[in-house]
Coordinates of all heavy atoms in Angstrom, one line a residue:
D9 N -3.0 -6.6 -12.2 CA -4.0 -5.9 -12.9 C -5.1 -5.4 -11.9 O -5.9 -4.4 -12.2 CB -4.5 -6.6 -14.1 CG -3.6 -6.7 -15.3 OD1 -2.6 -5.9 -15.2 OD2 -3.6 -7.5 -16.0
D10 N -5.4 -6.3 -11.0 CA -6.5 -6.0 -10.1 C -6.1 -5.1 -8.9 O -7.0 -4.7 -8.1 CB -7.0 -7.3 -9.5 CG -6.1 -8.3 -8.8 OD1 -4.9 -7.8 -8.7 OD2 -6.4 -9.4 -8.5
T11 N -4.9 -4.7 -8.8 CA -4.4 -3.9 -7.5 C -5.1 -2.5 -7.6 O -5.7 -2.2 -6.4 CB -2.8 -3.8 -7.5 OG1 -2.4 -5.3 -7.3 CG2 -2.4 -3.1 -6.3
L12 N -4.8 -1.8 -8.5 CA -5.2 -0.4 -8.5 C -6.7 -0.2 -8.4 O -7.2 0.5 -7.6 CB -4.7 0.4 -9.6 CG -3.1 0.8 -9.5 CD1 -2.7 1.6 -10.8 CD2 -2.8 1.5 -8.2
P13 N -7.5 -1.0 -9.2 CA -8.9 -0.9 -9.2 C -9.5 -1.2 -7.8 O -10.3 -0.6 -7.2 CB -9.4 -1.9 -10.2 CG -8.3 -2.0 -11.2 CD -7.0 -1.9 -10.4
C14 N -8.9 -2.3 -7.1 CA -9.3 -2.6 -5.8 C -9.0 -1.7 -4.7 O -9.8 -1.1 -3.9 CB -8.7 -4.0 -5.4 SG -9.4 -4.6 -3.8
L15 N -7.8 -1.1 -4.8 CA -7.3 0.0 -3.9 C -8.2 1.3 -4.0 O -8.5 1.9 -3.0 CB -5.8 0.4 -4.1 CG -4.9 -0.8 -3.7 CD1 -3.4 -0.3 -4.0 CD2 -5.0 -1.1 -2.1
D16 N -8.6 1.6 -5.3 CA -9.4 2.8 -5.5 C -10.8 2.5 -5.0 O -11.3 3.5 -4.3 CB -9.5 2.9 -7.0 CG -8.3 3.5 -7.7 OD1 -7.5 4.0 -7.0 OD2 -8.2 3.5 -9.0
W17 N -11.2 1.3 -5.1 CA -12.6 1.0 -4.5 C -12.5 1.1 -2.9 O -13.4 1.7 -2.3 CB -13.1 -0.4 -4.8 CG -14.4 -0.6 -4.4 CD1 -15.6 -0.4 -4.9 CD2 -14.8 -1.2 -3.1 NE1 -16.8 -0.8 -4.2 CE2 -16.2 -1.4 -3.1 CE3 -14.1 -1.8 -2.0 CZ2 -16.9 -2.0 -1.9 CZ3 -14.7 -2.3 -0.9 CH2 -16.1 -2.3 -0.8
L18 N -11.4 0.5 -2.4 CA -11.3 0.6 -0.9 C -11.2 2.0 -0.4 O -11.8 2.4 0.7 CB -10.2 -0.3 -0.5 CG -10.1 -1.7 -0.7 CD1 -8.8 -2.4 -0.4 CD2 -11.2 -2.3 0.2
R19 N -10.4 2.9 -1.1 CA -10.3 4.3 -0.8 C -11.7 4.9 -0.8 O -12.1 5.7 0.1 CB -9.3 4.9 -1.6 CG -7.9 4.8 -1.0 CD -7.8 5.6 0.1 NE -6.3 5.7 0.7 CZ -6.1 6.0 1.9 NH1 -7.0 6.2 2.7 NH2 -4.8 6.1 2.3
G20 N -12.3 4.7 -1.9 CA -13.6 5.3 -2.2 C -14.7 5.0 -1.2 O -15.6 5.6 -1.0
S21 N -14.6 3.8 -0.6 CA -15.4 3.3 0.4 C -15.1 3.9 1.8 O -15.8 3.5 2.8 CB -15.4 1.8 0.4 OG -15.9 1.2 -0.8
G22 N -14.1 4.7 1.9 CA -13.8 5.3 3.2 C -12.9 4.5 4.1 O -12.9 4.8 5.3
L23 N -12.5 3.5 3.7 CA -11.6 2.6 4.6 C -10.2 3.2 4.7 O -9.5 3.6 3.8 CB -11.6 1.2 4.0 CG -12.8 0.3 4.0 CD1 -12.7 -0.9 3.1 CD2 -13.2 -0.1 5.4
R24 N -9.7 3.1 5.9 CA -8.2 3.3 6.2 C -7.4 2.1 5.8 O -7.8 1.0 6.0 CB -8.0 3.6 7.7 CG -8.6 5.0 8.1 CD -8.5 5.2 9.6 NE -7.2 5.2 10.1 CZ -6.2 6.0 10.0 NH1 -6.3 7.1 9.3 NH2 -5.0 5.8 10.6
L25 N -6.3 2.3 5.0 CA -5.5 1.3 4.5 C -4.1 1.2 5.1 O -3.5 2.2 5.4 CB -5.5 1.4 3.0 CG -6.6 1.6 2.2 CD1 -6.3 1.7 0.8 CD2 -7.5 0.4 2.4
A26 N -3.7 -0.1 5.4 CA -2.4 -0.3 5.9 C -1.8 -1.5 5.2 O -2.4 -2.4 4.7 CB -2.4 -0.6 7.4
V27 N -0.5 -1.5 5.1 CA 0.4 -2.6 4.6 C 0.9 -3.3 5.8 O 1.3 -2.7 6.8 CB 1.5 -2.1 3.7 CG1 2.7 -3.0 3.8 CG2 1.0 -1.8 2.3
I28 N 0.8 -4.7 5.8 CA 1.6 -5.5 6.7 C 2.5 -6.4 5.9 O 2.0 -7.2 5.2 CB 0.7 -6.3 7.6 CG1 -0.4 -5.4 8.2 CG2 1.5 -7.1 8.7 CD1 -1.4 -6.3 9.2
T29 N 3.8 -6.2 6.1 CA 4.7 -7.0 5.2 C 5.9 -7.4 5.9 O 6.4 -6.7 6.8 CB 5.1 -6.2 4.0 OG1 6.0 -6.7 3.3 CG2 5.7 -4.9 4.4
N30 N 6.4 -8.7 5.7 CA 7.7 -9.1 6.2 C 8.8 -8.7 5.2 O 8.9 -9.4 4.1 CB 7.6 -10.7 6.3 CG 6.8 -11.2 7.4 OD1 6.3 -10.4 8.2 ND2 6.5 -12.5 7.5
A31 N 9.5 -7.8 5.6 CA 10.5 -7.2 4.7 C 11.4 -6.2 5.4 O 11.1 -5.8 6.4 CB 9.9 -6.5 3.4
P32 N 12.6 -5.9 4.8 CA 13.3 -4.9 5.2 C 12.7 -3.5 5.0 O 12.1 -3.4 3.9 CB 14.7 -4.9 4.5 CG 14.4 -5.7 3.3 CD 13.2 -6.6 3.6
G33 N 12.8 -2.5 5.9 CA 12.0 -1.3 5.9 C 12.4 -0.4 4.5 O 11.5 0.0 3.8
A34 N 13.6 -0.1 4.3 CA 14.1 0.8 3.3 C 13.8 0.1 1.9 O 13.2 0.8 0.9 CB 15.5 1.1 3.4
Y35 N 14.0 -1.2 1.8 CA 13.8 -1.9 0.5 C 12.2 -1.9 0.2 O 11.9 -1.5 -0.9 CB 14.4 -3.3 0.7 CG 14.0 -4.2 -0.4 CD1 14.8 -4.1 -1.6 CD2 13.0 -5.1 -0.3 CE1 14.5 -5.1 -2.6 CE2 12.7 -6.1 -1.4 CZ 13.5 -6.1 -2.5 OH 13.2 -6.8 -3.5
Q36 N 11.4 -2.1 1.2 CA 10.0 -2.3 1.0 C 9.4 -1.0 0.6 O 8.5 -0.7 -0.2 CB 9.2 -2.9 2.1 CG 8.0 -3.7 1.7 CD 8.2 -4.9 0.7 OE1 9.1 -5.0 0.1 NE2 7.2 -5.8 0.8
R37 N 9.9 0.1 1.3 CA 9.4 1.5 1.1 C 9.7 1.9 -0.3 O 9.0 2.5 -1.1 CB 9.9 2.4 2.1 CG 9.3 2.3 3.5 CD 9.8 3.1 4.6 NE 9.3 2.8 5.8 CZ 8.2 3.4 6.3 NH1 7.6 4.3 5.6 NH2 7.7 3.0 7.5
R38 N 10.9 1.5 -0.8 CA 11.4 1.8 -2.1 C 10.5 1.1 -3.2 O 10.2 1.7 -4.1 CB 12.8 1.4 -2.3 CG 13.4 1.9 -3.7 CD 14.9 1.8 -3.7 NE 15.4 0.5 -3.4 CZ 16.1 0.0 -2.4 NH1 16.3 0.9 -1.3 NH2 16.6 -1.2 -2.3
K39 N 10.2 -0.2 -2.8 CA 9.3 -0.9 -3.7 C 8.0 -0.3 -3.9 O 7.4 -0.1 -5.1 CB 9.2 -2.4 -3.3 CG 8.4 -3.2 -4.3 CD 8.2 -4.6 -3.7 CE 9.4 -5.4 -3.3 NZ 9.2 -6.6 -2.6
I40 N 7.4 0.0 -2.8 CA 6.0 0.6 -2.8 C 6.0 2.0 -3.7 O 5.0 2.2 -4.3 CB 5.5 0.8 -1.3 CG1 5.2 -0.6 -0.7 CG2 4.3 1.7 -1.3 CD1 5.1 -0.5 0.8
A41 N 7.1 2.8 -3.4 CA 7.1 4.0 -4.1 C 7.3 3.7 -5.6 O 6.8 4.4 -6.5 CB 8.2 4.8 -3.6
A42 N 8.2 2.8 -5.9 CA 8.5 2.4 -7.4 C 7.2 1.9 -8.2 O 7.2 2.3 -9.4 CB 9.5 1.4 -7.5
V43 N 6.3 1.3 -7.6 CA 5.1 0.9 -8.2 C 3.9 1.9 -8.1 O 2.8 1.7 -8.5 CB 4.6 -0.5 -7.7 CG1 5.7 -1.4 -8.1 CG2 4.3 -0.5 -6.3
G44 N 4.3 3.2 -7.5 CA 3.2 4.2 -7.6 C 2.3 4.1 -6.3 O 1.3 4.8 -6.4
L45 N 2.6 3.5 -5.3 CA 1.8 3.4 -4.1 C 2.2 4.2 -2.9 O 1.7 4.0 -1.8 CB 1.5 1.9 -3.8 CG 0.9 1.0 -4.8 CD1 0.7 -0.4 -4.2 CD2 -0.4 1.5 -5.4
A46 N 3.2 5.1 -3.1 CA 3.7 5.7 -1.9 C 2.8 6.6 -1.0 O 2.8 6.6 0.0 CB 4.9 6.7 -2.4
D47 N 1.6 7.1 -1.8 CA 0.7 8.0 -1.1 C -0.7 7.2 -1.0 O -1.7 7.8 -0.5 CB 0.5 9.2 -1.8 CG 1.6 10.1 -2.0 OD1 2.4 10.2 -1.1 OD2 1.9 10.5 -3.2
T48 N -0.6 5.8 -1.0 CA -1.8 5.1 -1.0 C -2.3 4.8 0.4 O -3.5 4.8 0.8 CB -1.7 3.8 -1.8 OG1 -1.5 4.2 -3.2 CG2 -3.0 3.0 -1.7
F49 N -1.3 4.5 1.3 CA -1.6 3.8 2.6 C -1.5 4.9 3.8 O -0.6 5.7 3.7 CB -0.7 2.7 2.8 CG -0.8 1.5 1.7 CD1 0.1 1.5 0.7 CD2 -1.9 0.7 1.8 CE1 0.0 0.5 -0.2 CE2 -2.0 -0.3 0.8 CZ -1.2 -0.3 -0.3
D50 N -2.4 4.6 4.8 CA -2.4 5.5 5.9 C -1.1 4.9 6.8 O -0.6 5.7 7.5 CB -3.6 5.3 6.6 CG -4.8 5.8 5.8 OD1 -4.8 7.0 5.7 OD2 -5.6 4.9 5.5
E51 N -0.8 3.6 6.8 CA 0.2 3.0 7.6 C 0.9 2.0 6.8 O 0.4 1.2 6.2 CB -0.4 2.4 8.9 CG -1.3 3.4 9.8 CD -0.4 4.5 10.5 OE1 0.8 4.3 10.6 OE2 -1.1 5.5 10.9
L52 N 2.2 1.9 7.0 CA 3.2 0.9 6.6 C 3.7 0.2 7.8 O 4.5 0.7 8.5 CB 4.3 1.5 5.7 CG 3.8 2.2 4.5 CD1 5.1 2.7 3.8 CD2 3.0 1.4 3.6
V53 N 3.4 -1.1 8.0 CA 3.8 -1.9 9.2 C 4.7 -3.0 8.5 O 4.2 -3.9 7.9 CB 2.6 -2.5 9.8 CG1 3.0 -3.3 11.0 CG2 1.7 -1.4 10.3
I54 N 6.0 -2.8 8.7 CA 7.1 -3.5 8.1 C 7.9 -4.3 9.2 O 8.2 -3.7 10.2 CB 7.9 -2.7 7.3 CG1 7.1 -2.0 6.3 CG2 9.1 -3.4 6.7 CD1 7.9 -0.8 5.4

């Protein structure tokens, strides 16, 4: 529940956002898209 409000604040504050995750690339990209975050991050570091 706290994810989208926080991401909105970070974006509104002018911060560049990146993901750092231990995961397989295609699987994690699919997950990020499935929860509606595909266009949220400047960088995905997998």
Side-chain angles (χ1 to χ4, degrees):
D9 290 343
D10 55 6
T11 295
L12 286 180
C14 188
L15 291 174
D16 287 346
W17 185 88
L18 294 171
R19 272 293 189 200
S21 297
L23 291 166
R24 287 173 54 78
L25 302 182
V27 154
I28 308 179
T29 178
N30 287 355
Y35 174 79
Q36 204 70 334
R37 289 174 183 275
R38 185 165 63 250
K39 181 190 299 177
I40 290 167
V43 296
L45 299 183
D47 299 323
T48 299
F49 299 98
D50 299 291
E51 303 291 342
L52 299 179
V53 182
I54 303 174

